Amino acid sequence: MDEMKDVIKNYVIKEYVEDDTDVTYDTPLISGGIVDSFSMVSLKRFLENKYQIAIPDDKATPEAFDSVNKICLLVNEYLK
Amino acid sequence: MAFTEKTRGIYADILTGLKTAGLFKQERFIHSAQAADIEVEFPTGAPLKKVINICANNYLGMSSHPEVVKAAHAGLDSHGYGMSSVRFICGTQDIHRTLESMVTKFLGTEDTILFPSCMDANGGVFEAVLTKDDVMISDRLVHASIIDGIRLCSAMHDTFKHSDMEHLEEKLQLHNDKRLKMVITDGVFSMDGDTAKLDAMVELCEKYNALLFVDDSHASGFIGKTGRGTHEKYGVMGKIDIITTTFGKGLGGASGGCVSGRRELVEMCRQKARPYLFSNTIAPPVVAGVIKVLEILSASTDRRDKLEHNTEFWRKGLIDAGLIIKAGDTPIVPVMLFNAKLAQDVSRDLYEEGIYAIGFFFPVVSQGQARIRTQISAGHEIHHLEKALDAFKKVGRKYDILGKSKQEIIERYGM
Ligand SMILES: Cc1ncc(COP(=O)(O)O)c(C=O)c1O
């Protein structure tokens, strides 16, 4: 689980952060303006490829993607 | 009456909010034709002031070029004032088709379709050619009209960091399973004046079998050796699948735009693009004017050459004066001031000195990136640019920013 958190956190930083904004496991990503809802798509696709899962569109809500912790919960739901 | 006091109050509050935030836009009335020398009423009611305009998109000085004005007059006489129809009902004249062929030849594409504006071209094109099985991958700094067009299209949308080719390649890999992939960029970016690396982008698009879309509104007519646009500059003419551009800047300055590119894609726009199907045709005198512009530009590169010289003179002059500009070689030259209030103050003082240039700040550009965007024209003579440089030096001295680094300016004025 912790490994997954770091994978996701590092992806978010590499993909979306262009200055030195700090991102923790709980930083609000979408409501905090780090990930705009346009760009959520690549995060979803990254997770699906990386973990070989399919996240239904209606589950990929801005709320479910709003922090590294929440994203991990979501991914784990579909891992089983 | 449905527009109650309560309703009025809601909007009054929003507008007041814009004013307090310094985001309220105000028009300045120009009483002359668009040119290097204009007469401006500002603030409203003030006596007219003669100023030098360095913030128009009038890159080639065509907005009031005598031959273009004459051609528009002739078009008005021969083809009338308007068509009172969209293109496909009874709004297509011989000159509309002539203009489409001329644009195709000028840009080196397969076919062209006119739109009422480039905003409309960008608004309609994606929905007309892509479906939900496809993906659009756009540079993060593309023009607002492209963002609107993307929003109207059912294809998946993703972005890549501005001009970052490695990031673009990652995205092309990520979305490789899609039916069609379209990479979307501006040719010249209107806020920074930098150009998209079209040679590298063509290479990536060929490698990953993706379509390439370029909005060349700030390039058509003057970028590249013969002014064909950013694709000419990067040696990739014939390899761009869709070019959109405007007739409202270098190519005359009146109005209108187009989608130019692969025959089938242009045909899809003729069948399906909503701003083409549901908005009035470009007015005949404007069409006649753009035809003349393309004739002038195809016959000689004098105007774009003059613009290039003016741009070099202007960029060097600003650097020698100790101002910070965004590096590049296009006629869009942002003078960086970083602080929003400083940008507004400098703009106001330049106006006092007879120079019309506007400050841009958040949210139009990122926080801490406030600037005066200057735009050079072939309609400028060196004496205009010398006078503008003198004004920049005088105002720069007043605020003590000449020869100062970004850090020093920010320390003094804040972000
Ligand atoms: C890059 C870009 N695309 C499109 C447009 C819209 O052009 P038009 O004025 O023809 O709608 C503009 C104009 O501001 C622009 O800068």
Side-chain angles (χ1 to χ4, degrees):
Chain A
M1 185 79 183
D2 275 356
E3 194 200 345
M4 182 191 287
K5 278 186 190 173
D6 283 330
V7 167
I8 295 173
K9 188 177 109 173
N10 290 337
Y11 177 83
V12 166
I13 290 172
K14 182 168 141 295
E15 176 67 28
Y16 303 110
V17 180
E18 305 211 15
D19 49 24
D20 45 14
T21 307
D22 192 31
V23 175
T24 68
Y25 298 147
D26 285 316
T27 304
L29 298 176
I30 292 173
S31 57
I34 292 174
V35 179
D36 69 58
S37 48
F38 254 176
S39 307
M40 243 176 66
V41 127
S42 48
L43 182 52
K44 176 172 180 287
R45 296 213 94 196
F46 166 78
L47 298 170
E48 290 178 332
N49 288 352
K50 172 93 191 162
Y51 297 107
Q52 295 295 310
I53 55 174
I55 305 171
D57 281 344
D58 62 341
K59 298 288 177 201
T61 59
E63 293 75 36
F65 272 68
D66 208 27
S67 70
V68 172
N69 276 333
K70 287 181 185 164
I71 296 168
C72 276
L73 285 178
L74 183 73
V75 171
N76 274 305
E77 247 179 73
Y78 293 94
L79 265 182
K80 293 156 213 160
Chain B
M1 197 181 71
F3 201 75
T4 60
E5 282 312 305
K6 183 162 169 249
T7 310
R8 199 179 288 281
I10 291 172
Y11 291 105
D13 287 349
I14 297 172
L15 292 168
T16 309
L18 287 176
K19 280 182 191 155
T20 20
L23 300 175
F24 194 80
K25 289 178 265 314
Q26 250 172 323
E27 294 167 347
R28 303 180 183 197
F29 304 123
I30 298 173
H31 289 244
S32 53
Q34 184 64 282
D37 296 294
I38 53 173
E39 285 189 285
V40 184
E41 173 195 340
F42 184 75
T44 305
L48 297 190
K49 189 172 161 76
K50 285 192 165 60
V51 294
I52 295 170
N53 192 356
I54 53 168
C55 59
N57 301 313
N58 185 19
Y59 297 114
L60 292 167
M62 292 296 188
S63 303
S64 49
H65 187 290
E67 280 186 54
V68 177
V69 173
K70 199 170 136 209
H73 270 294
L76 182 61
D77 290 337
S78 61
H79 285 73
Y81 170 66
M83 285 304 288
S84 312
S85 169
V86 301
R87 283 291 298 279
F88 83 97
I89 297 179
C90 54
T92 300
Q93 292 170 310
D94 54 342
I95 51 173
H96 291 92
R97 196 54 203 160
T98 303
L99 177 55
E100 287 176 336
S101 308
M102 288 178 80
V103 171
T104 302
K105 185 149 176 261
F106 190 77
L107 298 179
T109 54
E110 294 176 5
D111 199 2
T112 299
I113 173 176
L114 306 180
F115 279 79
S117 69
C118 189
M119 171 101 198
D120 282 331
N122 289 337
V125 61
F126 302 110
E127 189 189 24
V129 304
L130 299 175
T131 70
K132 62 174 178 27
D133 300 327
D134 310 321
V135 64
M136 307 173 279
I137 307 174
S138 64
D139 187 288
R140 287 193 183 162
L141 291 189
V142 292
H143 189 257
S145 55
I146 294 180
I147 304 212
D148 285 2
I150 285 172
R151 285 201 174 116
L152 290 171
C153 176
S154 61
M156 179 180 277
H157 176 225
D158 200 353
T159 58
F160 62 98
K161 293 180 190 172
H162 178 54
S163 277
D164 184 333
M165 293 300 112
E166 271 176 45
H167 200 218
L168 171 58
E169 182 157 18
E170 283 172 28
K171 292 303 174 82
L172 284 164
Q173 288 166 347
L174 178 67
H175 299 298
N176 216 0
D177 56 334
K178 290 286 175 180
R179 184 189 69 148
L180 293 167
K181 302 181 284 295
M182 185 182 284
V183 174
I184 300 168
T185 185
D186 289 9
V188 171
F189 289 87
S190 56
M191 279 302 144
D192 286 356
D194 57 331
T195 52
K197 300 166 190 151
L198 291 187
D199 47 353
M201 295 179 90
V202 163
E203 215 173 284
L204 281 175
C205 286
E206 284 176 352
K207 182 170 170 189
Y208 291 95
N209 196 16
L211 298 166
L212 182 53
F213 169 105
V214 179
D215 177 339
D216 235 4
S217 289
H218 289 275
S220 296
F222 53 95
I223 298 291
K225 277 232 155 342
T226 63
R228 306 310 158 109
T230 317
H231 56 326
E232 184 183 26
K233 176 183 165 80
Y234 284 95
V236 290
M237 281 186 79
K239 298 194 169 177
I240 312 296
D241 303 296
I242 298 180
I243 296 173
T244 60
T245 193
T246 180
F247 308 131
K249 304 190 197 294
L251 300 181
S255 69
C258 67
V259 169
S260 192
R262 304 295 174 198
R263 199 172 297 111
E264 294 77 7
L265 301 180
V266 170
E267 195 54 47
M268 288 298 285
C269 288
R270 253 182 240 288
Q271 301 309 317
K272 293 183 65 181
R274 296 170 68 84
Y276 170 86
L277 295 174
F278 299 116
S279 185
N280 204 6
T281 189
I282 307 182
V286 174
V287 175
V290 185
I291 288 175
K292 178 51 75 178
V293 169
L294 289 176
E295 278 172 10
I296 295 173
L297 299 182
S298 304
S300 145
T301 60
D302 285 357
R303 296 194 80 78
R304 58 95 37 217
D305 295 346
K306 182 176 175 199
L307 174 59
E308 191 166 85
H309 292 139
N310 282 352
T311 299
E312 278 166 21
F313 178 87
W314 181 246
R315 284 183 175 269
K316 180 167 185 308
L318 288 172
I319 292 169
D320 289 349
L323 289 154
I324 303 175
I325 61 172
K326 287 262 181 192
D329 55 5
T330 71
I332 299 175
V333 188
V335 179
M336 300 306 295
L337 297 166
F338 310 105
N339 174 279
K341 170 139 195 321
L342 181 61
Q344 284 165 290
D345 290 347
V346 168
S347 168
R348 191 198 55 229
D349 288 9
L350 285 171
Y351 187 75
E352 286 304 308
E353 299 296 323
I355 305 301
Y356 189 169
I358 296 290
F360 286 86
F361 39 89
F362 185 79
V364 179
V365 294
S366 320
Q367 204 92 47
Q369 288 286 310
R371 65 194 61 189
I372 305 265
R373 181 178 70 171
T374 64
Q375 291 168 285
I376 299 311
S377 167
H380 289 130
E381 301 301 333
I382 291 297
H383 69 82
H384 290 119
L385 301 180
E386 278 169 344
K387 182 158 184 241
L389 280 175
D390 285 343
F392 262 103
K393 285 182 211 164
K394 183 168 171 195
V395 176
R397 240 175 271 125
K398 172 175 168 186
Y399 291 96
D400 194 23
I401 51 173
L402 300 182
K404 295 288 190 290
S405 68
K406 173 180 177 182
Q407 215 46 49
E408 287 168 318
I409 295 175
I410 290 173
E411 265 164 33
R412 169 138 185 207
Y413 291 97
M415 287 279 262

